[in-house]
Amino acid sequence: MNTFIFKEEDSKLEETKPKQAQKFWRILIVDDDESVHQVTRLVLADAEIEGRKLELISAYSSIEARELLAKDDSFAIAFIDVVMETDHAGLELVEWIRNDLKNQAIRLVLRTGQAGSAPEARVIKDFDINDYKEKTDFTSGKMVTTVYAGIRAYRDIMTIQRSLDAFKKLISATHDLLRINHLRSFGSAALNHLLSLMNVESSALYIARNQIDFDQQMTNMIIACTGKYVSESDSLESSQIDSNVKKLIEETFVRKTHYSDESCFIGYYETTSNSASVLYIEFENDVEHFKANLAELYATNVALILEGLTRQHEVERTQKELLYIVGEAIEAKSQETGAHVQRVALICELFGQKLGLSEQYIDALKLAAPLHDIGKIAIPERILNKPGRLDEEEWEIMKTHAAVGSELLSKSTASISKLGSRLAHYHHENWDGSGYPDGLKGEEIPLEARIMAIADVFDALGSKRCYKEKWQENDIKDFITAQRGVKFEPKLVDLLFEHYQDFVAIRANHPDPE
C-alpha cells in the first residue's frame, strides 16, 4: 500500500505557492490503521469542492487528534475510528470535541470496522455525530458523497456563524459609535468596524462627503480614511490620494449610483437633497468575505448618522460664532477690542486643562466665556467709556452689569447659557468675600466664576483700555501676587505662575489690532 502514499508530495509542492493563493477544506483522519489513511487520501486526492481542494491531516490516535484540534479549529470534517487505543476511544473523542472543546461546526463521521462494539442505532442516538459508516460498506463513491455533504453543511454553519458574529459586532459597533460626537473620530471608527464586520483584510477605504451649501458651493470632504488612503487633509481635492481613485469617486457623485468591480466597491448614499456621501473600498487580496449588501446596509446607516452629526456640528459652530460676535459687540460698545473676548475664552480653557477638568466642562466654559460681560449692554456709554475714575454713583451703576447679564442669560434653558449666567453674575466676586454683587467667599463662588475672575483681570492688565495703558509683565505679576487669597483663589494664582509663559503666549498670539 505504500505506493499509494503520494499526498505528502503534493503538500511539499503546495508549500512553494503563496499562502493566500490557496484555500483548502481541511479534513482530519483519525485512525490507528495506516491503510485507512492511504485509501482515504487516494480516493480524495483529486476532489475539489466549491472551488477548493482538500487538505488531509492524519492523526493515529485520539490523543494525537485532541492535540491537533485543541490548537486548530479550521477542520471542516473529521473521519473518526471508533476502536483505537481503547474500544471506545473514538466515541470519547466525539464527546470531548462537542462538550469540552465546544466545537459544534466540525462535521464528525464515525467509521468502524467492528460495528458490534458500537451499534449504529445507539451511537446515532447517544453521540452528536453527523454520519456513521462501516468500513466494509464505505465505498469510494460513498466517501466522496459524504465529504461533499459534510463540507456543504460545514460551509452553511460557518456562514451562519459569521452572520451571527457580524450581528454581534454591529450591535457593539453601533453602541460604541453613538458615543462618539466628533465627526472625524466617528467616521474612522465606522470604517474600522465595517472592515471587522466583513472580515476583509488588507483593504483600504474612506468615506468622502459631498455637500452643496446654500450658496451653491460644492465641497468634497474626507470624513474618515484607513489603510493606505490615510490622509491628513480634510479635502478630497487637496489630498494625496491617487488621481484615479479621485476620478472614480467624482464619477460616482455624478452618476449617483453604486459601482463595483474586481478591484473595488463604491457606494453612493444620498441623505438629503443637498448632501450625499461616498464609501470607497479597495480590495487588496481577499474579497471572499466582502458582502456588498452588508456594506450598503451599514454605510447607509452610517451616512444618516454622519448627516445628523454634521448638522449638529454646524449648529454648534454657528452658536459658537454667534457667542463670539455678541461678546465682541459688547467689547466694542465699551471701546475695547474683540480680541479680549477670544483671549479670555482661551485663558479659561487653559485653566480648565491645567486643573484637569472634564473635556465637556472645558468646552462649555470656553463657549460661555465671551458672555461674561453681556450685562454691559445696559450700562450707559458715558460710564463705560469714561477715561478717568468712576465716581460713587457711576460705580454703583457699573456694578449692575453682573446682575443684568445673569438675568439675560437665565432666560435660556441651554446648559451653555446657564453656565454663562453664573459667569456673568459671579465673576466679580472676590475670594475673601469683598466682591459684588452677593459678597460670596471662597468656594461659595462657582468654579467657573473664580477662573473667569483671574482670566479677565490677567488679560485686561496686559491690554490698553480707555481708562489705562497696558501694564508691564512685572507689574501684572506683582498685582496678582498681592491679590492672592484676596481677589483670586490661591490655587489659581499658583497655577498661573507655574504656567505663566503659556498664558502670556495666548496674549501674544491674539494681539489687539493697532
Side-chain angles (χ1 to χ4, degrees):
M1 294 293 289
N2 288 341
T3 56
F4 296 134
I5 305 178
F6 50 82
K7 191 62 179 178
E8 284 77 0
E9 296 179 4
D10 274 353
S11 298
K12 292 178 181 178
L13 290 173
E14 289 162 3
E15 290 175 0
T16 64
K17 300 177 182 178
K19 186 66 176 179
Q20 66 271 21
Q22 293 291 330
K23 291 192 175 183
F24 302 92
W25 298 113
R26 307 190 74 221
I27 297 176
L28 180 62
I29 308 168
V30 186
D31 203 300
D32 59 357
D33 186 345
E34 173 63 29
S35 64
V36 172
H37 292 266
Q38 295 175 4
V39 170
T40 303
R41 290 177 181 278
L42 177 64
V43 171
L44 301 177
D46 297 323
E48 184 172 317
I49 303 173
E50 304 288 334
R52 298 187 189 185
K53 291 186 175 296
L54 307 181
E55 182 180 22
L56 306 182
I57 307 298
S58 292
Y60 293 92
S61 68
S62 65
I63 295 174
E64 187 179 351
R66 291 189 189 206
E67 292 175 352
L68 285 170
L69 290 166
K71 60 184 179 181
D72 190 344
D73 63 356
S74 64
F75 291 101
I77 301 175
F79 287 113
I80 301 175
D81 187 18
V82 173
V83 180
M84 289 181 285
E85 58 265 50
T86 67
D87 289 346
H88 299 94
L91 298 178
E92 292 169 357
L93 176 60
V94 168
E95 285 191 318
W96 177 82
I97 291 171
R98 297 302 194 207
N99 300 330
D100 296 341
L101 196 58
K102 306 296 183 184
N103 187 338
Q104 303 300 320
I106 188 172
R107 302 296 83 194
L108 301 179
V109 180
L110 273 182
R111 296 197 293 190
T112 181
Q114 304 176 41
S117 64
E120 180 177 354
R122 184 179 72 82
V123 170
I124 289 292
K125 177 183 176 182
D126 296 341
F127 295 88
D128 187 2
I129 62 173
N130 304 105
D131 209 346
Y132 179 98
K133 301 294 182 182
E134 293 186 22
K135 292 180 180 179
T136 55
D137 190 42
F138 199 31
T139 64
S140 61
K142 289 183 178 180
M143 184 184 298
V144 172
T145 300
T146 298
V147 169
Y148 267 88
I151 285 177
R152 285 170 177 165
Y154 174 80
R155 174 204 61 192
D156 293 342
I157 288 172
M158 295 307 295
T159 298
I160 293 171
Q161 185 60 54
R162 277 196 297 269
S163 298
L164 287 173
D165 290 343
F167 181 73
K168 291 176 183 177
K169 288 181 179 179
L170 181 59
I171 296 299
S172 175
T174 303
H175 177 266
D176 292 341
L177 290 174
L178 290 177
R179 296 174 62 184
I180 302 173
N181 62 1
H182 293 293
L183 201 59
R184 186 98 180 198
S185 299
F186 175 88
S188 296
L191 299 185
N192 285 322
H193 279 303
L194 181 56
L195 282 175
S196 177
L197 284 172
M198 293 188 298
N199 194 26
V200 178
E201 297 180 358
S202 301
S203 292
L205 69 160
Y206 65 88
I207 291 177
R209 175 181 165 80
N210 176 273
Q211 179 175 342
I212 300 175
D213 296 325
F214 294 114
D215 59 1
Q216 298 303 305
Q217 293 297 311
M218 185 178 295
T219 59
N220 288 291
M221 183 172 67
I222 297 174
I223 301 299
C225 43
T226 64
K228 68 183 182 183
Y229 291 121
V230 169
S231 172
E232 295 296 328
S233 174
D234 287 334
S235 169
L236 178 62
E237 288 82 0
S238 62
S239 70
Q240 299 299 312
I241 293 171
D242 184 79
S243 59
N244 291 328
V245 175
K246 290 182 183 179
K247 182 179 179 181
L248 283 173
I249 292 173
E250 289 166 357
E251 290 175 349
T252 302
F253 276 123
V254 173
R255 192 172 53 247
K256 298 185 177 182
T257 58
H258 298 328
Y259 170 84
S260 63
D261 57 28
E262 293 182 354
S263 64
C264 69
F265 165 84
I266 310 177
Y268 175 82
Y269 310 97
E270 194 167 284
T271 49
T272 66
S273 60
N274 68 338
S275 63
S277 58
V278 161
L279 169 65
Y280 176 88
I281 302 178
E282 181 173 312
F283 310 134
E284 292 186 355
N285 55 25
D286 182 8
V287 300
E288 179 181 349
H289 295 114
F290 178 77
K291 305 296 181 186
N293 58 346
L294 177 59
E296 291 179 20
L297 174 64
Y298 191 75
T300 299
N301 285 281
V302 167
L304 290 172
I305 298 173
L306 282 172
E307 177 66 23
L309 275 177
T310 303
R311 289 179 180 274
Q312 175 186 333
H313 280 253
E314 181 66 21
V315 170
E316 290 177 354
R317 184 177 66 83
T318 301
Q319 289 176 336
K320 182 178 179 180
E321 290 178 355
L322 288 174
L323 292 177
Y324 276 112
I325 290 171
V326 170
E328 289 175 0
I330 296 164
E331 296 301 318
K333 187 175 186 294
S334 59
Q335 296 184 0
E336 294 166 4
T337 70
H340 170 67
V341 171
Q342 297 179 27
R343 290 195 299 266
V344 166
L346 293 172
I347 291 168
C348 287
E349 178 185 37
L350 184 55
F351 267 116
Q353 292 169 348
K354 299 304 182 183
L355 286 168
L357 303 179
S358 70
E359 183 178 348
Q360 183 179 9
Y361 181 88
I362 294 172
D363 289 343
L365 177 60
K366 183 181 179 182
L367 286 174
L371 302 176
H372 69 283
D373 272 339
I374 192 172
K376 286 183 177 179
I377 196 170
I379 306 301
E381 290 187 16
R382 63 180 177 81
I383 296 177
L384 280 177
N385 301 325
K386 184 176 180 179
R389 188 179 184 86
L390 300 180
D391 61 32
E392 185 175 345
E393 181 183 356
E394 291 170 335
W395 178 238
E396 289 301 319
I397 294 173
M398 175 64 83
K399 289 197 295 184
T400 63
H401 84 275
V404 171
S406 176
E407 178 65 22
L408 283 172
L409 294 172
S410 67
K411 298 180 186 300
S412 171
T413 58
S415 58
I416 299 296
S417 295
K418 290 179 179 179
L419 184 64
S421 177
R422 294 196 299 273
L423 276 175
H425 192 97
Y426 298 112
H427 75 282
H428 286 295
E429 298 286 359
N430 293 337
W431 183 255
D432 67 354
S434 62
Y436 68 88
D438 298 335
L440 298 185
K441 182 178 181 180
E443 293 188 359
E444 293 175 350
I445 307 168
L447 175 60
E448 56 270 15
R450 285 179 262 152
I451 293 173
M452 175 55 70
I454 190 169
D456 192 23
V457 171
F458 169 74
D459 187 67
L461 293 178
S463 307
K464 183 178 179 180
R465 295 292 176 91
C466 63
Y467 53 85
K468 72 168 191 67
E469 293 295 324
K470 175 181 176 181
W471 285 28
Q472 298 300 313
E473 292 299 337
N474 288 338
D475 295 331
I476 294 174
K477 288 182 178 181
D478 289 343
F479 177 82
I480 291 177
T481 299
Q483 295 298 315
R484 183 182 185 275
V486 179
K487 185 173 182 62
F488 307 125
E489 179 178 2
K491 180 171 68 174
L492 295 180
V493 172
D494 296 341
L495 197 64
L496 172 66
F497 288 142
E498 182 181 352
H499 304 281
Y500 195 78
Q501 291 307 315
D502 293 335
F503 287 97
V504 170
I506 292 175
R507 196 192 306 140
N509 293 332
H510 299 82
D512 292 325
E514 295 296 336

